[in-house]
Amino acid sequence: MSRELPPLPAVKDKGLEKLAFTHPGSVPGSRPDQQYERLEWLGDAYLELFATALIDKTFLQLPSGRCSQIRERLIRNTTLASYFREYGLEARARLPIDVINQKKPSRGSSSDKDLLKTQSDMFEAYVAAVILSDPANGIETTMSWLKALWGRSLIEDVQKAERSQTLVARTENTRRERTPKEELSSRIVIKGITLRYKRMESKKRDKHSGQELFTVGVYLDGWGELGKLLGVGSALSIKEAGQKAAAGVMENKKLMKVYESNKKAFLEGKGDEV
């Protein structure tokens, strides 16, 4: 996404272009088809639709509430009025004297005398005029333009979303890798067979830090055994000690062969029964 201002698409119908910049107050007693209000109403709907579609395709991991917040930022009056000024469209606006005399835009009320609101409305009207003036390609042209225009505002949001998605992907990859406890269980446990991890008394200390180590033993209940100690692990945390105990059991190839054979024979027997 570039921060450069994308080219402004042209309105191919000069009559529609004039309407998009005609304030109701500049034509006293004007009908809806003689000033921008009807175009503004249509353009407002298009902008909300386009912003919704862009956000939906760009931020796949964000909840709908957060997506709504981003959309509001893209189509609020202050944003659209700033686009109006960046493109230098003030020179085309046909405004009543009281609006022209305002020195600067306010914060966006619903009053027609509010210059910021007027500029926002005219930008919406211009969007509708571009679309209506080109029945064949107007929607596609406008969507491409707005995507580039809004992209300047979304750069930081996209970067945050990408970082978040990377973190999620890393977490999912981590989850897919079995822990030693999970691996040991998958290799020798079936229904009715239990592995218990229990803390054991120990005076071991870490040789580098001197801190006391936790020691955990893994015990088997099943396969003709009750409370058989299969392995022991020590670490600075109970959780890590349990994982080390499981890893140590799996390193005992002779022991693992016995219980894996038991599990295999049991499962094959179940298959024969079926």
Side-chain angles (χ1 to χ4, degrees):
M1 293 183 177
S2 172
R3 292 187 182 275
E4 294 183 5
L5 191 66
L8 182 71
V11 178
K12 296 186 176 183
D13 183 313
K14 295 302 179 183
L16 285 174
E17 183 177 14
K18 181 179 179 180
L19 285 181
F21 294 110
T22 301
H23 190 283
S26 68
V27 187
S30 62
R31 302 189 309 271
D33 61 348
Q34 294 178 318
Q35 33 87 356
Y36 73 65
E37 284 185 334
R38 191 61 178 259
L39 285 175
E40 178 267 326
W41 172 74
L42 181 60
D44 177 72
Y46 274 123
L47 282 162
E48 182 167 351
L49 175 62
F50 294 161
T52 301
L54 175 61
I55 293 167
D56 181 60
K57 290 183 178 180
T58 305
F59 302 100
L60 301 179
Q61 304 295 330
L62 289 186
S64 57
R66 177 62 181 135
C67 289
S68 294
Q69 292 174 348
I70 295 176
R71 181 180 62 192
E72 170 61 23
R73 199 171 80 240
L74 295 182
I75 62 177
R76 63 190 176 190
N77 288 341
T78 51
T79 300
L80 302 183
S82 70
Y83 295 155
F84 185 88
R85 295 191 298 275
E86 282 188 87
Y87 281 110
L89 299 178
E90 302 101 313
R92 304 193 203 180
R94 299 176 63 194
L95 303 172
I97 297 299
D98 55 349
V99 176
I100 293 175
N101 289 338
Q102 290 192 48
K103 294 182 179 180
K104 61 181 179 179
S106 69
R107 298 187 65 84
S109 70
S110 60
S111 171
D112 281 345
K113 294 183 179 181
D114 183 334
L115 183 57
L116 184 147
K117 176 66 165 58
T118 297
Q119 292 176 344
S120 172
D121 288 348
M122 285 189 172
F123 185 85
E124 291 172 335
Y126 190 87
V127 167
V130 172
I131 294 172
L132 294 178
S133 69
D134 185 3
N137 303 302
I139 289 179
E140 182 178 352
T141 297
T142 304
M143 287 185 68
S144 297
W145 165 52
L146 290 173
K147 180 179 179 180
L149 184 61
W150 281 329
R152 302 184 314 151
S153 304
L154 292 176
I155 289 177
E156 291 185 5
D157 295 281
V158 170
Q159 291 173 341
K160 289 180 181 178
E162 288 176 344
R163 288 195 294 269
S164 177
Q165 290 173 18
T166 298
L167 180 60
V168 169
R170 288 176 179 172
T171 301
E172 289 178 347
N173 287 335
T174 300
R175 287 174 180 169
R176 284 195 289 270
E177 296 175 2
R178 286 178 175 173
T179 65
K181 282 186 177 182
E182 292 169 337
E183 179 66 21
L184 177 60
S185 179
S186 71
R187 290 173 64 178
I188 69 173
V189 170
I190 59 172
K191 186 176 181 180
I193 307 298
T194 304
L195 290 175
R196 293 183 291 111
Y197 292 84
K198 184 178 179 181
R199 183 176 176 182
M200 304 172 67
E201 293 295 329
S202 174
K203 295 183 179 180
K204 291 183 178 180
R205 291 186 175 275
D206 182 74
K207 63 181 180 180
H208 299 294
S209 66
Q211 289 181 285
E212 183 179 353
L213 295 175
F214 293 95
T215 298
V216 172
V218 53
Y219 297 84
L220 172 67
D221 294 328
W223 302 128
E225 311 285 0
L226 181 61
K228 180 176 180 178
L229 179 62
L230 300 182
V232 177
S234 297
L236 290 171
S237 71
I238 293 179
K239 182 177 180 180
E240 185 181 357
Q243 299 292 0
K244 282 191 173 183
V249 174
M250 289 187 288
E251 290 175 1
N252 188 333
K253 305 298 183 183
K254 184 177 180 180
L255 184 67
M256 288 297 297
K257 184 176 181 180
V258 172
Y259 296 123
E260 285 180 313
S261 296
N262 288 346
K263 179 176 179 178
K264 181 179 179 181
F266 177 83
L267 294 177
E268 288 177 347
K270 292 284 288 185
D272 292 340
E273 291 178 8
V274 176

